[in-house]
Amino acid sequence: MESEAKGSVNNPKPSPAATAAAAAAADDPPVPPRAPKISVDPSLRTLTVGPNGVPNDDDAAIEAPVPDVQATTEECFKDFDTNSITHVVIQVSISKQQQIFHQIGYQYTWNFPFPFWHFLGKMVVKALYNDQRDNTELQILSFTAIKNHEFVAFTTSAWRAANTARKAAGVTELPPLNVIEVSFMKPQPGQRLQISWQPARGVFTGRVRLWTELEERRKQSTTVTS
């Protein structure tokens, strides 16, 4: 996959979180950033900014309730145990994100993607678990982009807890991966937002495994040098 960096001479400098995520995806060949055409609607809310005037990277930047989201999948995946999911890969276009956040009441901002990705992750959790697992949280692992489509990988809180427990027990191998891929449907006025999901194809699972191993090596390197 080609990686498309965000931020340029005319755009704000990427945040530390964006820099870290880009480093995790360093195996992808860089390509020049191509900012899409984003329509601005002055009636929409904008991201909450921090003391430095830059939008927050966390989910506090979007002060809106998570809407009801319906999850659909093929009949052959109905018996898939969603409680065993370890990672989620959201694949979504720039235009689809504009439509989704317009319906939520927010202006989409291309060069500050993390708050929007955080919010998409919260929507996926609500769709899959219907608020029945309050302790489930998706954390951004890494991302890549191909043209106007973004692929964002998340790690579940359950997998992170299992990984921490293994390390405490002296186990060096990572816990097993059980990845799903998620697509957002085109928003329809007056209707609930919808996602479709399925067990991840090999290319997605392989990329998640690579990113996870890179992240673990980065953490080990940080621990050694600190």
Side-chain angles (χ1 to χ4, degrees):
M1 292 184 181
E2 291 181 322
S3 176
E4 191 165 328
K6 296 200 172 191
S8 67
V9 174
N10 297 318
N11 288 329
K13 181 180 179 181
S15 66
T19 302
D27 60 301
D28 293 314
V31 297
R34 296 187 296 274
K37 182 178 180 180
I38 304 294
S39 58
V40 177
D41 185 339
S43 68
L44 298 176
R45 300 177 68 182
T46 56
L47 297 176
T48 302
V49 300
N52 58 355
V54 176
N56 296 321
D57 268 347
D58 56 27
D59 53 14
I62 298 179
E63 299 173 336
V66 180
D68 289 333
V69 184
Q70 181 180 5
T72 62
T73 190
E74 296 180 26
E75 187 64 32
C76 58
F77 302 135
K78 292 291 187 181
D79 294 331
F80 184 92
D81 181 13
T82 56
N83 291 321
S84 68
I85 295 171
T86 64
H87 295 77
V88 174
V89 177
I90 293 178
Q91 44 186 326
V92 62
S93 67
I94 299 298
S95 60
K96 191 73 64 62
Q97 291 183 76
Q98 291 184 71
Q99 295 165 359
I100 291 170
F101 287 101
H102 187 280
Q103 184 161 318
I104 293 171
Y106 266 81
Q107 175 67 51
Y108 173 75
T109 307
W110 174 79
N111 53 326
F112 289 109
F114 281 84
F116 299 100
W117 292 345
H118 277 294
F119 202 86
L120 291 179
K122 294 169 72 173
M123 292 169 64
V124 169
V125 169
K126 187 167 186 176
L128 291 176
Y129 303 113
N130 195 27
D131 291 337
Q132 295 178 11
R133 292 181 62 184
D134 294 336
N135 62 337
T136 299
E137 180 182 333
L138 296 182
Q139 178 176 299
I140 294 175
L141 171 64
S142 193
F143 65 90
T144 191
I146 300 178
K147 295 183 179 179
N148 69 334
H149 281 74
E150 296 176 331
F151 300 80
V152 189
F154 296 80
T155 306
T156 65
S157 49
W159 189 90
R160 295 195 301 274
N163 190 33
T164 299
R166 284 195 172 209
K167 289 180 180 178
V171 179
T172 57
E173 294 83 4
L174 294 173
L177 303 184
N178 195 13
V179 187
I180 66 168
E181 52 187 90
V182 172
S183 297
F184 278 81
M185 304 293 99
K186 182 178 180 180
Q188 301 297 328
Q191 297 184 18
R192 282 197 299 172
L193 292 167
Q194 289 188 329
I195 65 168
S196 66
W197 67 270
Q198 66 179 43
R201 288 164 286 180
V203 63
F204 289 109
T205 299
R207 181 50 59 95
V208 167
R209 187 181 307 280
L210 174 62
W211 279 336
T212 301
E213 292 172 350
L214 288 172
E215 176 66 10
E216 288 300 310
R217 288 202 292 269
R218 184 191 66 79
K219 289 179 179 178
Q220 292 173 5
S221 176
T222 301
T223 301
V224 170
T225 56
S226 61

